[in-house]
Amino acid sequence: MSEFAEAEAGIRQLYARYADAVWRKDAQAFGACFAKDGQWRIAGMVLQGRAAISEAIARILAGANRVLMTFQTPILDLEDGSRASARVYVTEQCSWADGRSNLNIGRYYDRIIAQDGQWRFDWRLFQALYTGPA
């Protein structure tokens, strides 16, 4: 398998683990998708490190029944065998505990690294493109 194909398969698994952690509301599994010192930039927040990221997603998901994330195929630039950058589109179907529901469409800009035998997000920036009814 080529270096690119191997990296792409691992990075797709990263996106799958991320979406699965959100669906299951598993803040620790979500945090494990990030590098030890990873950064997540979302909704005006800049969260640094797994602990801060795990705590933030736990607060966010506490108000949710379920959030289903569907990632499109990421556009990857492999820098070497252990670093990549990506751009990926995502749709989120949200059901909130207070009875509301909404659809989010957005784009993530990612820097991804291989760490401890897995691909992990080193830096993520979420850009909302649409939020509202389906």
Side-chain angles (χ1 to χ4, degrees):
M1 184 182 303
S2 76
E3 183 180 56
F4 182 84
E6 189 174 326
E8 181 184 33
I11 291 168
R12 283 184 186 234
Q13 283 299 301
L14 170 60
Y15 287 110
R17 288 192 315 272
Y18 186 94
D20 180 64
V22 170
W23 177 257
R24 293 183 299 107
K25 298 167 56 169
D26 185 337
Q28 294 308 308
F30 184 88
C33 291
F34 287 83
K36 292 173 186 165
D37 225 11
Q39 186 178 93
W40 186 33
R41 294 173 168 257
I42 187 165
M45 297 183 291
V46 178
L47 303 159
Q48 191 76 44
R50 284 184 189 156
I53 291 167
S54 294
E55 289 169 13
I57 198 66
R59 284 191 308 273
I60 293 165
L61 293 176
N65 289 322
R66 292 289 178 199
V67 176
L68 177 62
M69 300 184 81
T70 305
F71 285 100
Q72 301 301 308
T73 302
I75 300 165
L76 298 175
D77 289 314
L78 190 59
E79 296 170 20
D80 60 33
S82 65
R83 297 181 107 34
S85 59
R87 185 174 67 250
V88 65
Y89 293 87
V90 62
T91 303
E92 300 173 343
Q93 296 169 288
C94 306
S95 169
W96 300 101
D98 65 6
R100 294 177 301 122
S101 62
N102 69 287
L103 175 74
N104 298 320
I105 300 171
R107 176 174 41 222
Y108 269 107
Y109 294 93
D110 296 316
R111 290 185 212 134
I112 306 164
I113 62 170
Q115 187 178 75
D116 301 326
Q118 289 189 7
W119 287 94
R120 299 178 195 274
F121 297 113
D122 191 41
W123 182 89
R124 294 203 92 190
L125 169 67
F126 179 73
Q127 181 180 48
L129 303 172
Y130 173 81
T131 298

